[in-house]
Amino acid sequence: MTASSIKIGFRKFIKKPAFSIINVLGLAIGLACFVLTMVYVNYELSYDNFHKNKGRIHLVTVTINFADYFIENQTSTTAMLAEELRANFPEVQTATQVGGSYNTVIHHGEKVFRQTGIYAADSSFFNVFTYDFIYGSPENALNNPGDLVITESTAKKYFGTTNAYGEVLKMYDGDMKISGIIKDTPENSVIGFDMVASIYTFDERYRSDPHWQNNNFTTYLVLNEGIDPMQLEEKFPTLIKSKIPRIKGQAIDDWMAAGNRWEYHLFELKDIHLKLRGNGIYVMGFSIVAVFLLIIACINYMNLSTAKASKRAKEVGVRKAVGAFHGNLLRLFLGESMMMSFLSLILAMGMVELVLPYLSEFIGKKLEIRYFDNVLVLPGLIFLGIIIGFLSGTYPAFVMSSFKPVTVLKGEKVSNKGLTLRNILVFVQFSISIFLIISLIVIYKQTDLLYTKNLGYDKDNLLVVQNAQPLSSKKDIFKADLYKIPSVESATFISRMFNKSSGPSNQWTPQGRETTLLAVMSGDPDFVKTLDIKMHAGRFFDSNIATDSSAAIINQAATRLLNWGDTLYKTLDNGRDKVKVIGVMKDFHFQTLQSEIMPLMVLYDGARYSARYLSIRFKPGEMKSTIKRVEELWKEYVSDAPFEYYVYSEKYKTYYNTEGQTSRLMLILTILVLVVTSMGLYGLAVYIAEERMKEVAIRKAIGASVFSIVAKMSWSFTKLVLLANILAWPFAWYFMNDWLNNFASRISISWWIFIAAAFVSYIFAILTIISQAFMAANRNPVDVLRYE
C-alpha cells in the first residue's frame, strides 16, 4: 500500500461519500462482530488452560443402562474409583476424588455466614489441579480431617486479610483449620470454588458408601506422559467385572449380554465445558454467524467495487495509455482496498471497545482484549485487516485493471462481465440471511416453550427458603405460625427443589420385579397442594395416618418403568427401608426440559431424607409482604443461620440462561446481517438506477407506467431472493432440527417459519431498492434525454 494509492483512495472516498461510507461501515460492522465473537470464543476455549497438566487431566464418567434406566456420561462415579486408579493402573500418574459443590452455615466470632461454593477433595486434589498458593503448600493442604483451603477473597471476607493461615472457622458442627490460601480461581473454570475441605472430614459419608454401584463422587485423573486415553479405557471393562461381578442376581457378563451397559469413559479437561456441558454447539454457532457476517460485508465491498468499475474505465485507460502496467494497477486498486479495510478495522475496534463491557455484563462473563499481554492480538488484528482487504479487493482490482485502453478511450461501453458474479454474491448474501432468520425463529420459539410449557406443577407465586435444616426439630410449630400469615396459602418441607439435576438415584427392589433405579426425594403432606401437582391414582400422605411414614408416592413414569399400571399398595425395598406405594402422581418436570421425565419416588419427610427447603405458596401480588413476614418469623425461630430465599419463577428462568442469551444474541446478529446486506443492496440499487437512467427515460417516454418500471427494476432482485430461499430452507431445517434434538421437550419446525423467513427477506430487499427504483421512474425523461 503506497503513499500514492492512499492519496488516490482518499480522493475517491471524498468524491463518492455515499458508496464509501456504505463500504467502510459495512466492513466495520462485520469486523466488529467477528472480533467480539472471537473474544467470546477464545474465552470459552480457554476454560481450565491454567492447569499445568491440562492436556493430561481427564474426568471419568459412567454410562449406565440399568433395567430401563439410562444415563449417559454421568459425572458422578463410585467413592472407590480414585483410590483404585492410583493404586493399580500404571497409566495413571495420580487421581483425585471430589465432592461438591456444597453450602453451609459458617460461624466466625459473632458473625454468621452462609457460604456456597465449597468442594470436598482428597489429598491428591492439588496434585491434579494447579492453583497458586499464597500460604501453605499443595502437598500438605488436605491431608488431615478438618483441613480447609480457601481463596484470598474468602480470607479477606472472614478475616480482613489474606494472611489467615492456621485460623479456624466453625462449620459442619466442628472446627475447620485453614491449611492453605490460594489466589482466586479463574471464572473460566469448570472447578470454581471458594473453599476446598478435606474429604476425610466427612469420613462417615466418604467411607460409608463403598459400593461400586453407587455413584456419589467425581473422579479426575492425570495420565502419564505419552499415554493414549483409549489405552486406559480399554482396561475399564475388566475393572468393572472384577468389582461388580453380579448385578440383579446375574453374572455381569450375562447381564451385559442382555443389552445392559455399565461403562467408564474419559473426557479431557477441555471437553468438559464444551462437550459434556453442551457449550460447544453455541461456540460453533456464534462463530459461524460471525464469519457469515464478515463474508457478507466483504461481498458488499466486492459488489459495489465491481459495480463502480465502469465509472473508472477512462481512468484505467489513461493510466495504461501513459505506460502503467497491469501490476501497477493491481497494486493501486488493492492499495485502495487495504486502506478501506484498515479504516473499517479502526472503526470496528472502536465499536468493540464500546460494546465489550455491555456484552460482558449481558452474558455474565468477563470478556476483555489484552492487546499487549498476548503477543498474538495486535499481529492478529493487522493480519485480519490485510486478509479482509486482500479478499474483498482482489476481484474488483482484477476487473478494473483488465480494461483495454482503446475500448474505454473511444467511449465504448465496458462489458459488464461482473454482473453474473454480483448476482451470485447477492444470492449468497440472502441465502445466509434467510438461514439466520429461520434459525432465529426456531430458537425463539424453543426458548419460549422452555419458559411457558406446562410443567405439571405451578412455578408461579412460589417462595423457596433455602437451607431449612435448622427448622428440622420444629417444623410443625413453624408451619402453624407460617399459616397465620394472611398471604401464605400453603407450605411444604421438601428435600430438594426441582432443578437441573435429577437428585439422588438409588437402587430399589419393587415387589415382583428386579432391582432398578429411582430418583428419590421427600416431602410432607402439603407437598402436592403447595406445588399444585395432580394425583393420578390413590392419595398423598396424610399426617393423621401413622403408617404413612413408611409409605411412598411414585409418578406415572415410575409405573411405566415397573409395569404396575395403576396398581397400589405394592412395596419397594432398598435393603434398609421398605415402603408401600399409596399413590401415583401425574408426571411433572422435576428436571429441566432438556431431560425426559424420570421415574420418581417421594418419601415421607424425615423418613429417609431430611428437608433442605421450605416451599411457600403465596397469594398473587403479595410477594414482597410475604418475604418480609417469613423473614421475621425465621428470625424468631433461627438465630444462628441467615434467612436465604429465592422466588422460584425467577430462579427457573436461570436454568435456561444459555438458551435465552442465545435467542437474544441471535436476534442482534440477524438484524446486523440484514442491515449490512441491505446497505450493500442499497448501494447496488443506487448504481443500477444510475446505469439504467436512459433506459428508464426511454421506457417512460413511450408510455410505460411508473409501476411497470419499478416492477421491472425490482424483478432481478426478487428472483435472487426466491432462489436464495430454495437453497437456505433445507440447510436451516437440518441444522435447527439437530439443535432441537438436545431437548426432550421441543417444538416442531412448522412450514410457516419458512414462509415467514421468505417474506421478511423479501420485504428487506424490496424496501431497500424500491426507493431508488421510484426515483428513477419518476424522473422527467426530457431532463435525462435532452443532450441526445
Side-chain angles (χ1 to χ4, degrees):
M1 186 163 58
T2 63
S4 62
S5 65
I6 294 175
K7 184 178 180 181
I8 293 169
F10 271 113
R11 284 178 181 171
K12 299 298 180 186
F13 189 98
I14 295 169
K15 188 175 181 180
K16 293 284 186 180
F19 273 59
S20 301
I21 289 172
I22 288 173
N23 266 342
V24 170
L25 191 58
L27 271 177
I29 293 172
L31 283 165
C33 289
F34 181 78
V35 171
L36 285 168
T37 305
M38 290 305 103
V39 172
Y40 163 74
V41 169
N42 180 67
Y43 178 92
E44 293 292 298
L45 296 179
S46 68
Y47 262 68
D48 293 298
N49 273 353
F50 58 92
H51 295 295
K52 183 178 69 174
N53 298 317
K54 60 186 178 184
R56 295 188 288 131
I57 299 175
H58 290 73
L59 167 70
V60 185
T61 67
V62 61
T63 293
I64 303 170
N65 187 359
F66 189 99
D68 299 325
Y69 176 98
F70 177 75
I71 186 164
E72 186 173 18
N73 289 319
Q74 176 178 284
T75 56
S76 297
T77 52
T78 177
M80 313 305 292
L81 184 57
E83 186 176 337
E84 180 72 21
L85 291 171
R86 286 194 299 264
N88 297 314
F89 288 82
E91 296 87 355
V92 176
Q93 177 179 309
T94 187
T96 185
Q97 178 189 25
V98 181
S101 166
Y102 304 115
N103 60 77
T104 190
V105 173
I106 295 180
H107 297 265
H108 178 58
E110 299 297 320
K111 296 181 180 179
V112 179
F113 300 88
R114 167 64 60 179
Q115 180 66 50
T116 59
I118 305 173
Y119 276 72
D122 63 22
S123 57
S124 298
F125 182 80
F126 291 110
N127 296 327
V128 173
F129 301 106
T130 308
Y131 295 97
D132 295 327
F133 273 75
I134 303 171
Y135 299 98
S137 66
E139 295 79 14
N140 304 312
L142 297 174
N143 289 351
N144 305 304
D147 284 349
L148 183 69
V149 176
I150 64 176
T151 62
E152 58 181 333
S153 61
T154 306
K156 290 177 182 177
K157 170 184 172 181
Y158 287 99
F159 304 102
T161 176
T162 58
N163 188 8
Y165 184 79
E167 295 284 351
V168 172
L169 291 173
K170 292 186 179 297
M171 52 193 292
Y172 296 118
D173 299 323
D175 291 342
M176 301 288 288
K177 184 179 179 181
I178 296 173
S179 56
I181 299 172
I182 63 172
K183 290 184 178 179
D184 289 347
T185 60
E187 65 175 24
N188 55 338
S189 173
V190 296
I191 312 171
F193 56 84
D194 297 314
M195 295 180 170
V196 180
S198 169
I199 205 167
Y200 313 116
T201 309
F202 316 101
D203 200 57
E204 180 180 347
R205 183 183 178 205
Y206 169 58
R207 296 292 182 185
S208 65
D209 201 9
H211 204 292
W212 276 79
Q213 293 183 42
N214 290 339
N215 301 305
N216 296 311
F217 294 90
T218 307
T219 304
Y220 297 92
L221 58 85
V222 180
L223 293 174
N224 283 312
E225 294 280 0
I227 297 296
D228 183 349
M230 292 304 297
Q231 184 179 334
L232 178 59
E233 272 203 27
E234 289 172 358
K235 292 187 174 184
F236 285 154
T238 302
L239 170 67
I240 292 168
K241 290 176 183 179
S242 68
K243 300 298 181 181
I244 315 175
R246 300 183 68 81
I247 296 181
K248 298 167 58 178
Q250 284 182 288
I252 191 166
D253 285 332
D254 296 334
W255 182 78
M256 287 187 173
N260 298 298
R261 296 168 64 190
W262 198 294
E263 302 166 351
Y264 289 140
H265 298 287
L266 296 177
F267 276 81
E268 192 176 336
L269 187 62
K270 66 180 177 63
D271 292 331
I272 298 173
H273 178 69
L274 296 175
K275 292 183 179 179
L276 276 180
R277 294 185 174 181
N279 292 284
I281 189 172
Y282 297 103
V283 171
M284 182 179 293
F286 287 129
S287 299
I288 291 171
V289 174
V291 171
F292 280 171
L293 190 52
L294 195 56
I295 290 171
I296 287 174
C298 292
I299 286 173
N300 279 351
Y301 185 90
M302 294 171 67
N303 264 344
L304 295 180
S305 296
T306 53
K308 291 190 300 178
S310 61
K311 297 294 184 182
R312 301 187 66 177
K314 288 187 178 180
E315 175 194 341
V316 173
V318 171
R319 287 182 180 276
K320 283 192 172 183
V322 297
F325 293 105
H326 185 73
N328 300 124
L329 293 170
L330 274 178
R331 284 192 293 273
L332 172 66
F333 295 130
L334 277 175
E336 291 179 19
S337 176
M338 291 292 178
M339 185 199 76
M340 296 288 280
S341 176
F342 277 96
L343 278 176
S344 301
L345 182 61
I346 292 169
L347 179 59
M349 293 313 296
M351 295 178 182
V352 168
E353 290 299 323
L354 186 65
V355 171
L356 198 58
Y358 298 101
L359 180 62
S360 296
E361 184 178 354
F362 177 69
I363 65 175
K365 297 177 179 180
K366 188 179 180 181
L367 303 180
E368 55 186 350
I369 304 176
R370 299 183 177 180
Y371 294 98
F372 304 106
D373 292 344
N374 189 332
V375 294
L376 297 177
V377 171
L378 289 176
L381 288 173
I382 293 170
F383 177 75
L384 179 63
I386 293 171
I387 197 70
I388 293 303
F390 181 80
L391 290 176
S392 58
T394 299
Y395 181 78
F398 272 103
V399 169
M400 288 185 283
S401 62
S402 65
F403 295 151
K404 295 179 180 179
V406 175
T407 302
V408 296
L409 292 177
K410 281 183 177 180
E412 295 178 12
K413 185 173 178 64
V414 177
S415 173
N416 200 359
K417 60 184 178 182
L419 177 61
T420 300
L421 177 69
R422 288 201 301 275
N423 285 341
I424 291 172
L425 294 178
V426 170
F427 169 75
V428 171
Q429 281 182 309
F430 272 98
S431 297
I432 293 172
S433 301
I434 293 157
F435 176 90
L436 292 177
I437 293 168
I438 295 170
S439 301
L440 171 64
I441 296 172
V442 171
I443 291 171
Y444 174 81
K445 280 180 61 60
Q446 177 63 23
T447 304
D448 184 62
L449 173 72
L450 298 178
Y451 292 140
T452 60
K453 181 178 171 63
N454 183 356
L455 302 172
Y457 65 92
D458 186 359
K459 68 180 183 298
D460 297 319
N461 304 315
L462 201 60
L463 177 68
V464 180
V465 179
Q466 303 178 85
N467 307 298
Q469 294 95 323
L471 295 171
S472 58
S473 62
K474 39 196 170 186
K475 294 176 185 176
D476 293 338
I477 58 171
F478 184 86
K479 280 184 69 173
D481 284 343
L482 191 63
Y483 283 144
K484 294 176 183 176
I485 299 174
S487 60
V488 172
E489 293 184 340
S490 182
T492 183
F493 283 95
I494 185 172
S495 62
R496 56 176 291 263
M497 270 308 294
F498 313 145
N499 53 32
K500 291 185 176 182
S501 67
S502 63
S505 293
N506 302 124
Q507 295 183 44
W508 289 82
T509 304
Q511 180 180 334
R513 300 275 301 170
E514 295 178 335
T515 301
T516 188
L517 295 177
L518 295 171
V520 182
M521 63 191 306
S522 69
D524 68 20
D526 290 329
F527 178 90
V528 292
K529 178 183 177 183
T530 302
L531 299 170
D532 194 19
I533 295 169
K534 308 303 181 186
M535 294 299 294
H536 172 70
R539 62 177 178 83
F540 203 72
F541 302 126
D542 188 331
S543 58
N544 296 315
I545 302 176
T547 55
D548 277 8
S549 61
S550 59
I553 314 294
I554 59 176
N555 66 352
Q556 290 173 291
T559 66
R560 290 191 294 273
L561 173 69
L562 301 174
N563 197 26
W564 278 358
D566 297 337
T567 304
L568 300 175
Y569 308 116
K570 289 192 175 184
T571 60
L572 289 151
D573 190 343
N574 68 354
R576 292 185 297 261
D577 303 296
K578 189 173 184 178
V579 295
K580 181 182 291 184
V581 174
I582 62 170
V584 178
M585 300 174 292
K586 288 188 176 181
D587 282 339
F588 62 93
H589 291 273
F590 60 97
Q591 295 172 268
T592 53
L593 296 174
Q594 283 94 339
S595 305
E596 297 281 358
I597 297 176
M598 295 176 60
L600 172 69
M601 178 167 61
V602 179
L603 300 177
Y604 200 97
D605 176 45
R608 186 71 180 91
Y609 297 95
S610 61
R612 296 178 56 203
Y613 298 91
L614 170 62
S615 299
I616 303 169
R617 180 159 301 283
F618 56 85
K619 293 179 180 178
E622 300 193 34
M623 181 182 71
K624 291 184 178 180
S625 62
T626 304
I627 293 171
K628 182 180 178 182
R629 294 290 302 276
V630 173
E631 182 175 13
E632 292 171 352
L633 185 61
W634 174 274
K635 290 178 179 178
E636 290 180 20
Y637 278 83
V638 182
S639 59
D640 59 350
F643 175 70
E644 294 179 290
Y645 69 92
Y646 58 82
V647 177
Y648 185 75
S649 58
E650 296 174 0
K651 181 78 168 179
Y652 178 83
K653 292 178 182 178
T654 66
Y655 301 149
Y656 305 107
N657 274 344
T658 300
E659 290 77 16
Q661 289 173 0
T662 299
S663 178
R664 293 189 292 272
L665 286 172
M666 276 294 294
L667 174 62
I668 294 168
L669 288 172
T670 303
I671 290 173
L672 287 173
V673 165
L674 290 172
V675 167
V676 172
T677 299
S678 298
M679 288 170 63
L681 199 59
Y682 177 79
L684 206 54
V686 171
Y687 166 77
I688 290 172
E690 291 179 0
E691 284 287 290
R692 301 180 67 176
M693 191 182 303
K694 291 179 184 177
E695 175 196 338
V696 170
I698 292 170
R699 287 180 180 278
K700 193 169 184 182
I702 61 176
S705 66
V706 171
F707 178 81
S708 65
I709 293 172
V710 171
K712 184 170 183 59
M713 292 184 68
S714 305
W715 174 238
S716 60
F717 291 108
T718 300
K719 287 188 296 184
L720 290 175
V721 174
L722 293 175
L723 288 171
N725 275 279
I726 294 172
L727 177 67
W729 285 5
F731 282 98
W733 182 89
Y734 175 80
F735 285 105
M736 284 296 97
N737 190 63
D738 187 59
W739 178 72
L740 288 171
N741 285 336
N742 292 302
F743 300 89
S745 297
R746 50 161 287 180
I747 64 165
S748 58
I749 305 179
S750 303
W751 61 268
W752 67 263
I753 294 176
F754 300 96
I755 302 301
F759 179 76
V760 170
S761 61
Y762 181 71
I763 289 298
F764 261 88
I766 205 69
L767 290 179
T768 301
I769 63 176
I770 204 167
S771 60
Q772 292 302 315
F774 266 111
M775 286 176 63
N778 280 311
R779 282 178 180 155
N780 190 335
V782 175
D783 294 335
V784 177
L785 300 173
R786 179 180 296 157
Y787 75 95
E788 299 287 352

